[in-house]
Every structure is written in C-alpha cells, then in structure tokens.
Amino acid sequence: MSPLDLPAVNAALNGLSAIFLGVGYYQIRRGNRRAHRNCMIAAFTTSVLFLACYLTYHAYVAYVLKQGPTIFRNPAWFRPIYLAILLTHTLLAMAVVPLSLLSIYQGLKGNFERHKKISRWTWPVWMYVSVTGVLIYFLLYQIFPQR
C-alpha cells in the first residue's frame, strides 16, 4: 500500500463512520445507551483516522509529488454539481469538528439533556459529511476519474 491508495481508505473510513452513526442512532432510539456510546466513539475514531489519512495524502501529493490537488474538470456539465457537493461537504466538515467534540463531551459527562440538544444538530451534519465524503471519492476517482 502506498500513500496514493489513501483516497480509497478515506472513503472506507467515511463509510464506516456513517455506519457507526446510523447504528448509534438506532441504538439510542431503542434506549441502549451503552451501544450508542460505543458506536459514537467508533464514529469519532474513524473520523479522526480519516482526517489523519486525508492530511497525509494531501501532504504527500503536495510535498513529495510536487502536485496540486486533483481538480474536477470533466465532464464540464457535472462540475457545478460536484463543486456544490464539495463546498457543502467542506464547510459542514469544519462545523462537525466542534459539534462532535461538544456532543461527545456532554454525553460522556452525563449531561444528557444538553447532549440531546447539541446532537440534534451534530448527527445530521456528521452523517451528511460522512456520506458525501464517500460520494466525492466515487465521483472524483471512480465515476469521473480526473487525469
């Protein structure tokens, strides 16, 4: 495995995060706090691993290969759609960091009312970021590979 394989790893980590988020949501709806906590910690862990791999990949491409980021150019008709997905993904990814930290902190401290209030915003944003992360990978590397 080389650093050039990291986009696929990143997509897998985003997919795993979405699965953990979904199962965690299901578990809390059933009243299973322990399973919910474990799933949310697993989702957070996979998201942190994603961030480490993402930064590693982009540092490798920039500093070792001396290349810029991959730019979506073709097909031109799909570029605005891709950029809209990428923009919302990126902005919400930045927002999910403090939201997830605050949500997890409140949950682990046992402040469940505050945890619920924050998580009502955190969960859908985090899920969107995880799912669109996988979508971006498929669009950029599988469906419309850019040269």
Side-chain angles (χ1 to χ4, degrees), residues 21-64:
L21 288 168
V23 174
Y25 181 83
Y26 173 77
Q27 290 299 331
I28 201 62
R29 300 300 290 174
R30 293 186 65 217
N32 191 340
R33 283 187 179 176
R34 184 179 192 152
H36 168 74
R37 182 198 67 213
N38 292 342
C39 285
M40 294 301 124
I41 291 170
F44 185 76
T45 302
T46 56
S47 293
V48 169
L49 288 171
F50 159 81
L51 183 58
C53 290
Y54 177 86
L55 294 174
T56 299
Y57 171 76
H58 285 284
Y60 178 78
V61 168
Y63 299 111
V64 175

Side-chain angles (χ1 to χ4, degrees), residues 81-134:
I81 298 166
Y82 172 81
L83 291 175
I85 295 167
L86 181 63
L87 178 66
T88 57
H89 169 83
T90 303
L91 292 174
L92 291 174
M94 290 186 285
V96 85
V97 172
L99 285 171
S100 63
L101 289 169
L102 191 55
S103 185
I104 289 169
Y105 175 77
Q106 294 298 330
L108 291 175
K109 284 293 194 179
N111 299 329
F112 297 121
E113 286 308 311
R114 291 188 77 194
H115 171 74
K116 280 172 61 175
K117 285 181 182 178
I118 297 162
S119 296
R120 283 195 173 106
W121 291 94
T122 305
W123 190 88
V125 171
W126 197 351
M127 181 61 88
Y128 179 84
V129 168
S130 295
V131 170
T132 56
V134 176

